[in-house]
Each structure stands twice: as C-alpha cells, then as structure tokens.
Amino acid sequence: TLGYFLNPNKRGDDSATRFGRSTLAQVAPDALIFTPKPSDQEAYVVLRYVQLIEKLRPDVRLELLLFEPGDDMAQVVLAMVQEQRDCRPLYLASLHSHTYPLPVLERDFDIVPEANLFRLVPRQSKPALSPCTDFEGRRQNLSPEELIRRAMRWQ
C-alpha cells in the first residue's frame, strides 16, 4: 500500500494529498495523532510528507511508535493515551482493533470522527499521570543513521 501512495503514476489521483492537507488543516492545535505500525503507517507517511514538504502544521505530532515492540501495540498506545490525555488533543488514525485497545478507550473517551480521523474526547478530566512530555525533544537528538538502524531492527 505504501507503493500506491508513493507512486507518481496514478493519472491524477490526488486522494492522498487531499487527505493529508485536509486532515492537518482540521486537527486541533498541538494534536497528537497515533499512526502506529503496521496498521496505520500509510496515514503516517502521507501526513508526514505534507508536514515536511508543504511545511503544514509543525505543531502536530505524528506518533508511528516505530521503536516500540509490536507484539503488544495496544498496551503501548493505551499507556501513551493515559499519559497524554490531559496534555493535548488525541486522535487515532483508524479503529483497527489489533492496534488500539478500543473497549478500554471507550470506557474513558468518546471516540468521535473528526478531521478524517477519530478524536478521543475524555468523558471527564483527570490529572495527568506525569508531566506532559515534549515529544519533539524525545527523538530529535537521534542521528539519521540511528533512526535507520532502529527501524531496521523492528522490521
């Protein structure tokens, strides 16, 4: 599927570009969008391309969870949602049941279609479990070589 999005010979099919632009135009400021591998990495690629090439919405954080073990991605997502629930607006790229702990999320959130994604709207505010994390600071210090090495390890 990545080949489809990246193939320039689609004879005018600009759906990926329209998706990327309209999604980033509509999400709330400082949003965190979960696009974990392998279920939503296509959405990540499209949104990240629009961010980098068209310089749209650098305030939005796309979370691919590339360096997390894939055997329990739902638990990784749940932990991050709980950590960030009162720090920033949260979105899921899909409702893939193997990637997202939907029954658990539905207890604490309304899952609302918004901006071509699914927004997690807390039913009640809770104190953050820990101080809000600056995601950009977490990974910006990695060299391109280190990013590639880590990515290859999780394929």
Side-chain angles (χ1 to χ4, degrees):
T1 55
L2 284 176
Y4 174 82
F5 285 118
L6 299 175
N7 181 352
N9 301 312
K10 292 189 295 286
R11 297 186 184 225
D13 180 359
D14 65 348
S15 58
T17 304
R18 286 185 287 115
F19 166 79
R21 288 176 182 158
S22 67
T23 299
L24 289 176
Q26 296 175 54
V27 294
D30 299 315
L32 170 59
I33 302 173
F34 290 96
T35 57
K37 58 153 177 79
S39 67
D40 295 325
Q41 63 193 13
E42 291 89 357
Y44 174 87
V45 169
V46 171
L47 294 169
R48 190 68 178 138
Y49 176 88
V50 172
Q51 272 187 325
L52 291 173
I53 302 305
E54 298 186 11
K55 309 281 192 239
L56 294 179
R57 299 299 303 274
D59 63 302
V60 173
R61 172 69 185 175
L62 303 171
E63 187 54 66
L64 182 60
L65 299 168
L66 183 62
F67 305 119
E68 303 296 335
D71 54 340
D72 202 4
M73 188 60 70
Q75 283 303 112
V76 173
V77 169
L78 181 60
M80 192 173 266
V81 165
Q82 290 171 337
E83 176 187 307
Q84 297 297 314
R85 67 175 288 147
D86 293 316
C87 297
R88 59 190 41 87
L90 304 175
Y91 294 85
L92 307 178
S94 73
L95 296 179
H96 193 279
S97 62
H98 288 99
T99 303
Y100 302 107
L102 297 175
V104 177
L105 291 174
E106 288 170 337
R107 286 195 310 236
D108 292 332
F109 298 90
D110 290 320
I111 301 175
V112 180
E114 181 180 303
N116 304 316
L117 304 169
F118 299 92
R119 186 168 181 173
L120 298 178
V121 179
R123 293 200 174 136
Q124 48 187 305
S125 182
K126 293 182 178 179
L129 295 178
S130 60
C132 294
T133 305
D134 175 17
F135 284 108
E136 289 303 318
R138 257 189 357 189
R139 294 198 181 111
Q140 270 190 331
N141 296 332
L142 295 178
S143 69
E145 293 81 15
E146 177 66 9
L147 284 171
I148 291 168
R149 187 183 67 74
R150 289 185 181 192
M152 297 305 288
R153 182 177 49 180
W154 291 110
Q155 286 186 353

